[in-house]
Structure formats: C-alpha cells, structure tokens
Amino acid sequence: MGASALVHQLNQPGLVQHRLPASVALAIGLLAAAAALMPALWVASQHLHVMAHEGGHAFMGSALGHRVSSVSMNVKGTGLTMTAGTGGLRIFLTSFSGYLASSAFGVGAAKLISMGHGVAVLWLLILGLAILLLVAQGLFARFCIACAGVLLFLAARYTTPGAQLAIVYGVTWFLLISGVTVSVKHWKTSGDAANLKKQTHLPRVLWSMLWLIGCVAALVYGAGLLV
C-alpha cells in the first residue's frame, strides 16, 4: 500500500459516511435477527453476545475502580468476569451491567452511525476486543476474541467503506437483538440475577424484568437510529 493510500485509510474513521438506505438497513437487520434467533446460527453467534456481556462487566468494573482479573468463556455460551475490589454499590453496578451491555453497546454504535461515523464504530470494536483479549483467560475465550478481532481488522483493512458500514450495521443490529433474545432466554436462569438477589435480597424476577425492559427500549431506540 502506498503512502497516500495508507493516509487515506487512516483518515476513514474520522470521515462522515452517509447512512444506508432504510430498506438495506432493514434487510441487514433481518439477517442479524436470523443469527440471533435461529438455533443453528445461534450456536456460533452467541459467543459474540457473550463477549459483549462479559465486556460490559469488565468495563463497568474497571470504570468503578475494580481491577479486572480475568474474563472467561466456554463453548456452551456462558462466561465469567472476575474483578477484585470492594464496595457494595460498585459490586452491584458491575453485576447489573452485564445483561444490558450488549444493548448499550448497540445503542452507542447506532448513535455513531446516525451521526455519520459508522466506520469509526468498526475501529472502536477492534479496540474493545483488543483490550478484552488482554484479560481473557482460557484458550476458548482467547480464540473467540482473537478471531472476532482479526476478522474485523481484515474488514477494516481490506474492504471498502461501504462494505465496512454494512458490517457495522450487522454487528449493531445483532447487539441490539441479542440483548432482548438473551434476556428472554435467561429469564429464570440468570446467574447475575441470583447474585443480585444475594446482594439486595430482592427477587430475581425483578432484575430479569428490568433487563428485559431496558433491552427492548434499546432495540426500539436503536432501530429508529438505524432506519
């Protein structure tokens, strides 16, 4: 790659890109919904949601001053984030954030897309995965995070801005839709809800209800930004 081409590519994240037509955005959304709802596809795609979920725990814990000691994932589609720190409210917020993380990341990405910074989202995703890889524990977690990061980097490095924008739309839709999907699937089995019940003595169903409401609201708001 020549120097001028390299400079042009490095400038892409800062440039303003037009949003995709509503029909194209909806078509990508349908594909993302299939990845989140069809069991055959969910077997693989669920690990993208787990990265967002555990990344949410790690981000919140770190933002509140806790040291993130490890993030692990397994082939069954669950994960665990370990943080070292004290403080009742901080532990509560770290535990509470996981089920909203995918939807929150999706809303953030949708907002950047609506502002014309869709390609920047791609690089932010790569950066987030690189940071998550630093605290990943276990071969499976490292493999999944590294593969996702490499694929996104190849897309950012070798595809056109239009293709990059389509990929960002797909990831954003998936984050928004999978947040709702997992909140419904884990309505009665959430380990985070069990932890919050121990911390607050409030029923598990309360936390599941709050997560579902939050994820549905994020999907509706994010969809409005994308379409």
Side-chain angles (χ1 to χ4, degrees), residues 71 73 133-148:
V71 172
M73 299 168 53
L133 185 60
L134 294 176
V135 293
Q137 184 178 65
L139 181 61
F140 185 76
R142 291 169 181 161
F143 174 78
C144 288
I145 297 169
C147 283

Side-chain angles (χ1 to χ4, degrees), residues 67-157:
R67 183 177 63 84
V68 180
S69 54
S70 68
V71 172
S72 60
M73 299 168 53
N74 62 53
V75 72
K76 294 182 179 180
T78 60
L80 180 66
T81 298
M82 301 295 295
T83 61
T86 59
L89 180 59
R90 290 188 293 178
I91 294 174
F92 165 79
L93 291 174
T94 301
S95 298
F96 183 74
S97 63
Y99 273 92
L100 294 177
S102 177
S103 298
F105 292 149
V107 167
K111 185 63 176 178
L112 285 174
I113 290 172
S114 72
M115 296 169 62
H117 299 298
V119 174
V121 173
L122 186 60
W123 289 100
L124 288 173
L125 289 170
I126 294 169
L127 176 61
L129 288 169
I131 295 173
L132 193 61
L133 185 60
L134 294 176
V135 293
Q137 184 178 65
L139 181 61
F140 185 76
R142 291 169 181 161
F143 174 78
C144 288
I145 297 169
C147 283
V150 167
L151 289 174
L152 291 178
F153 177 77
L154 291 175
R157 178 71 168 78

Side-chain angles (χ1 to χ4, degrees), residues 99 182-191 193-194 204-205 208 211:
Y99 273 92
V182 173
S183 294
V184 172
K185 287 183 177 180
H186 294 183
W187 179 265
K188 295 182 179 180
T189 61
S190 168
R204 293 173 53 162
V205 67
S208 297
W211 287 325

Side-chain angles (χ1 to χ4, degrees), residues 14-15 17 33 46 58 67 79 96 98 126 182 188 192 197 199-200 215 217 226:
L15 299 178
Q17 301 89 28
Q46 64 181 330
R67 183 177 63 84
F96 183 74
I126 294 169
V182 173
K188 295 182 179 180
D192 289 346
K197 180 182 178 180
Q199 294 175 34
T200 65
C215 290
L226 293 173

